[in-house]
Short mmCIF file of all heavy atoms in Angstrom, two decimals:
data_model
loop_
_atom_site.label_atom_id
_atom_site.label_comp_id
_atom_site.label_asym_id
_atom_site.label_seq_id
_atom_site.Cartn_x
_atom_site.Cartn_y
_atom_site.Cartn_z
N THR A 115 -2.24 11.21 21.41
CA THR A 115 -1.98 10.38 20.24
C THR A 115 -1.28 11.22 19.19
O THR A 115 -1.74 12.31 18.84
CB THR A 115 -3.31 9.83 19.66
OG1 THR A 115 -3.98 9.12 20.70
CG2 THR A 115 -3.06 8.91 18.50
N SER A 116 -0.15 10.71 18.69
CA SER A 116 0.61 11.37 17.62
C SER A 116 0.70 10.40 16.44
O SER A 116 1.29 9.34 16.56
CB SER A 116 2.02 11.72 18.08
OG SER A 116 2.00 12.58 19.18
N ILE A 117 0.11 10.80 15.32
CA ILE A 117 0.13 9.97 14.10
C ILE A 117 1.28 10.47 13.23
O ILE A 117 1.51 11.67 13.10
CB ILE A 117 -1.22 10.06 13.36
CG1 ILE A 117 -2.36 9.64 14.27
CG2 ILE A 117 -1.18 9.22 12.10
CD1 ILE A 117 -2.26 8.23 14.80
N LYS A 118 2.01 9.54 12.62
CA LYS A 118 3.21 9.89 11.85
C LYS A 118 2.91 10.52 10.50
O LYS A 118 3.80 11.07 9.87
CB LYS A 118 4.08 8.64 11.67
CG LYS A 118 4.65 8.15 12.98
CD LYS A 118 5.50 6.92 12.80
CE LYS A 118 6.02 6.45 14.16
NZ LYS A 118 6.71 5.18 14.10
N GLU A 119 1.69 10.45 10.02
CA GLU A 119 1.34 11.05 8.74
C GLU A 119 1.42 12.58 8.85
O GLU A 119 1.02 13.16 9.84
CB GLU A 119 -0.08 10.66 8.32
CG GLU A 119 -0.25 9.18 8.08
CD GLU A 119 0.57 8.67 6.90
OE1 GLU A 119 0.67 9.38 5.88
OE2 GLU A 119 1.12 7.57 7.01
N ALA A 120 1.93 13.21 7.80
CA ALA A 120 2.18 14.66 7.82
C ALA A 120 0.91 15.49 7.98
O ALA A 120 0.93 16.54 8.62
CB ALA A 120 2.90 15.07 6.54
N ASP A 121 -0.22 15.04 7.42
CA ASP A 121 -1.43 15.86 7.46
C ASP A 121 -2.35 15.52 8.64
O ASP A 121 -3.46 16.00 8.72
CB ASP A 121 -2.20 15.75 6.14
CG ASP A 121 -2.49 14.32 5.74
OD1 ASP A 121 -1.93 13.41 6.37
OD2 ASP A 121 -3.27 14.12 4.79
N LEU A 122 -1.88 14.70 9.57
CA LEU A 122 -2.67 14.39 10.76
C LEU A 122 -1.97 14.95 11.99
O LEU A 122 -0.83 14.59 12.28
CB LEU A 122 -2.85 12.88 10.92
CG LEU A 122 -3.75 12.20 9.89
CD1 LEU A 122 -3.68 10.70 10.04
CD2 LEU A 122 -5.18 12.70 10.02
N SER A 123 -2.64 15.81 12.71
CA SER A 123 -2.04 16.40 13.90
C SER A 123 -2.25 15.51 15.11
O SER A 123 -3.11 14.63 15.13
CB SER A 123 -2.66 17.78 14.16
OG SER A 123 -4.05 17.64 14.39
N SER A 124 -1.44 15.73 16.13
CA SER A 124 -1.60 14.98 17.37
C SER A 124 -2.80 15.54 18.13
O SER A 124 -3.27 16.64 17.87
CB SER A 124 -0.33 15.07 18.21
OG SER A 124 -0.08 16.39 18.58
N GLY A 125 -3.26 14.76 19.11
CA GLY A 125 -4.42 15.21 19.86
C GLY A 125 -4.49 14.59 21.23
O GLY A 125 -3.99 13.49 21.46
N ASP A 126 -5.09 15.33 22.17
CA ASP A 126 -5.37 14.85 23.52
C ASP A 126 -6.85 14.49 23.58
O ASP A 126 -7.70 15.29 23.21
CB ASP A 126 -5.05 15.92 24.55
CG ASP A 126 -3.58 16.28 24.58
OD1 ASP A 126 -2.75 15.38 24.38
OD2 ASP A 126 -3.28 17.46 24.79
N ASN A 127 -7.15 13.29 24.07
CA ASN A 127 -8.52 12.83 24.07
C ASN A 127 -8.86 12.09 25.36
O ASN A 127 -7.98 11.50 25.98
CB ASN A 127 -8.76 11.88 22.89
CG ASN A 127 -8.51 12.56 21.58
OD1 ASN A 127 -9.24 13.44 21.19
ND2 ASN A 127 -7.44 12.16 20.91
N PHE A 128 -10.13 12.11 25.69
CA PHE A 128 -10.66 11.37 26.83
C PHE A 128 -10.73 9.90 26.46
O PHE A 128 -11.12 9.55 25.35
CB PHE A 128 -12.05 11.90 27.18
CG PHE A 128 -12.71 11.16 28.29
CD1 PHE A 128 -12.36 11.38 29.61
CD2 PHE A 128 -13.70 10.22 28.03
CE1 PHE A 128 -12.98 10.70 30.64
CE2 PHE A 128 -14.33 9.53 29.05
CZ PHE A 128 -13.97 9.77 30.35
#
Side-chain angles (χ1 to χ4, degrees):
T115 304
S116 300
I117 303 300
K118 293 180 181 173
E119 296 295 321
D121 53 349
L122 291 172
S123 61
S124 63
D126 296 324
N127 300 292
F128 177 78

